[in-house]
Amino acid sequence: MTTKKITLNSDKRKVIADQFQSFYEDKVKDKLIQAKEQYDLMREKAKVAIEKVVRFHQPQEDVDTIRSMIQKYSSSGGELYHDNCFNIQTPITKVDDEGKEYISQDEVHVRFDMGRNFARAYYRDELKAKGLNPDFHLSIDNDYSKRNPKYYNDESAVNTYLGFSNSSNEDKSITKPVAKWESDFKLWVVGTSYCRSRQFKVDETTLEFFKMYNQSADNVIKEHEQMYSYVEGKMKTLRLGLKSYRHFDQAKALADKVGVVLNETMMNESSSLALSIYSPDNLASLLEDKEVLTREQKIAIARQQMAENSLN
């Protein structure tokens, strides 16, 4: 008896491609994880260091005095701002084009909030688990002419989840990453909300430490970019090959040679997804009055339930 070959279609090719993508991401994701861990360590040290710097120049008793003056005289009593952005500087000697020495300032802008590129890198796994695309900005390779409706949809969904975009009808009990980072660390400083109006002088060693702190954040972004570049390079070649494959056994032979786990059960997964998504429990969940799930989120729910069922 001959076994009927599984014919590939677009859905099955996507299942196969997803397996290969996970395989290649697993090979290099440790570098991004390590960069995040290093940043976390540097961040805790930087909190202590910047508080020491700020309180040296602006003692707590001065802050308390201005606060009491504000309570007594309102805005005429002075200005305080709860800040997570700080500018530090140290004088350095430079030489001009004529060989004359002059004193300049070596400056570092220290921030404890979260930029968009950093956020997409830091929360990449979490975003992907929610069916969102944290790599959308990398896919155009700085060619903004490649921005299409999908790019803008991905951008909107990611920004909404992270908290860069918010709407009035959202569940306010959920603290989004942006709000979490905004409230994680702030210091009361003398002055207005304009960060660059405050320049805190430090020694060269302290300045170099904060340069290292900023670099640790940049490294998270860099490892995200390098991970995407490596994986996407592999996937471009793979997609071309998959287009020429008509049957599953061809993809299976390739997977075995590369070391990717691939079996026929995965090919049947797409037909089982609908049954799993619309099981009584999941269907009841989907019918609740809450945010509409994306197709990717529905698939993630289905896969989770299928995995749980396989263990029972």
Side-chain angles (χ1 to χ4, degrees):
M1 180 182 296
T2 58
T3 303
K4 182 179 179 180
K5 289 186 175 182
I6 298 176
T7 302
L8 299 180
N9 55 26
S10 59
D11 288 339
K12 288 181 170 57
R13 287 189 177 91
K14 185 178 185 309
V15 171
I16 294 169
D18 286 347
Q19 288 299 113
F20 275 83
Q21 180 157 342
S22 295
F23 171 80
Y24 287 117
E25 286 187 2
D26 286 345
K27 292 182 69 173
V28 293
K29 69 179 182 181
D30 282 351
K31 290 184 178 180
L32 177 56
I33 293 172
Q34 290 168 9
K36 288 169 56 178
E37 291 174 346
Q38 181 62 29
Y39 170 79
D40 290 341
L41 290 173
M42 290 294 293
R43 180 181 175 86
E44 294 308 309
K45 293 179 180 179
K47 289 178 184 179
V48 175
I50 199 64
E51 183 167 12
K52 183 178 179 181
V53 168
V54 172
R55 288 295 160 252
F56 174 79
H57 292 281
Q58 298 183 355
Q60 184 62 45
E61 52 265 32
D62 290 355
V63 173
D64 294 339
T65 298
I66 293 176
R67 181 174 285 113
S68 65
M69 294 292 286
I70 293 173
Q71 291 174 348
K72 186 174 183 179
Y73 299 106
S74 189
S75 59
S76 299
E79 290 183 303
L80 293 175
Y81 187 72
H82 213 196
D83 211 353
N84 55 16
C85 158
F86 311 93
N87 284 280
I88 61 173
Q89 60 180 217
T90 189
I92 58 172
T93 302
K94 290 186 176 181
V95 179
D96 62 20
D97 295 338
E98 298 178 353
K100 297 180 180 179
E101 292 186 348
Y102 65 98
I103 301 299
S104 181
Q105 300 291 336
D106 192 0
E107 299 181 347
V108 174
H109 188 51
V110 185
R111 304 186 67 94
F112 291 90
D113 57 358
M114 184 171 58
R116 296 177 187 241
N117 286 345
F118 178 87
R120 291 189 284 261
Y122 193 91
Y123 286 96
R124 184 177 188 275
D125 286 347
E126 187 172 321
L127 288 164
K128 286 181 70 68
K130 296 295 183 180
L132 304 177
N133 178 14
D135 306 328
F136 69 89
H137 62 298
L138 299 176
S139 65
I140 64 172
D141 194 23
N142 292 318
D143 183 354
Y144 293 104
S145 67
K146 294 180 180 179
R147 291 179 293 184
N148 54 27
K150 184 180 185 307
Y151 174 96
Y152 290 112
N153 288 339
D154 286 343
E155 179 183 42
S156 177
V158 169
N159 285 345
T160 297
Y161 179 82
L162 291 172
F164 290 108
S165 300
N166 297 287
S167 63
S168 58
N169 61 351
E170 291 178 356
D171 184 352
K172 299 301 186 295
S173 66
I174 299 175
T175 303
K176 294 184 176 182
V178 168
K180 176 182 176 182
W181 282 61
E182 283 285 347
S183 61
D184 173 63
F185 179 76
K186 288 185 177 182
L187 293 174
W188 284 104
V189 293
V190 178
T192 67
S193 62
Y194 187 52
C195 180
R196 290 196 177 277
S197 66
R198 292 178 293 277
Q199 302 288 339
F200 298 104
K201 293 188 181 298
V202 298
D203 59 37
E204 187 175 351
T205 300
T206 302
L207 190 82
E208 289 303 316
F209 166 77
F210 282 112
K211 285 182 178 180
M212 291 172 59
Y213 165 68
N214 284 353
Q215 186 60 53
S216 70
D218 291 340
N219 285 343
V220 175
I221 298 172
K222 183 193 74 173
E223 293 300 341
H224 180 202
E225 293 171 346
Q226 292 186 347
M227 176 180 179
Y228 176 83
S229 178
Y230 169 80
V231 174
E232 184 59 19
K234 299 291 187 182
M235 293 306 296
K236 282 181 179 178
T237 303
L238 175 73
R239 293 185 197 108
L240 289 174
L242 283 179
K243 285 183 180 179
S244 68
Y245 291 174
R246 293 191 61 228
H247 299 110
F248 170 76
D249 56 0
Q250 294 172 289
K252 173 63 174 171
L254 172 64
D256 289 345
K257 290 181 179 180
V258 174
V260 175
V261 176
L262 190 64
N263 55 61
E264 294 184 7
T265 304
M266 296 173 183
M267 298 301 97
N268 297 326
E269 185 175 311
S270 58
S271 61
S272 302
L273 284 176
L275 294 175
S276 182
I277 291 172
Y278 296 111
S279 67
D281 289 341
N282 282 335
L283 182 55
S285 176
L286 295 175
L287 290 174
E288 291 178 4
D289 291 328
K290 59 184 181 181
E291 182 180 356
V292 177
L293 296 180
T294 64
R295 177 178 180 274
E296 289 78 9
Q297 287 173 312
K298 293 176 182 178
I299 290 174
I301 291 173
R303 286 176 174 164
Q304 181 179 357
Q305 183 173 6
M306 291 169 65
E308 291 173 352
N309 291 340
S310 67
L311 295 175
N312 296 333

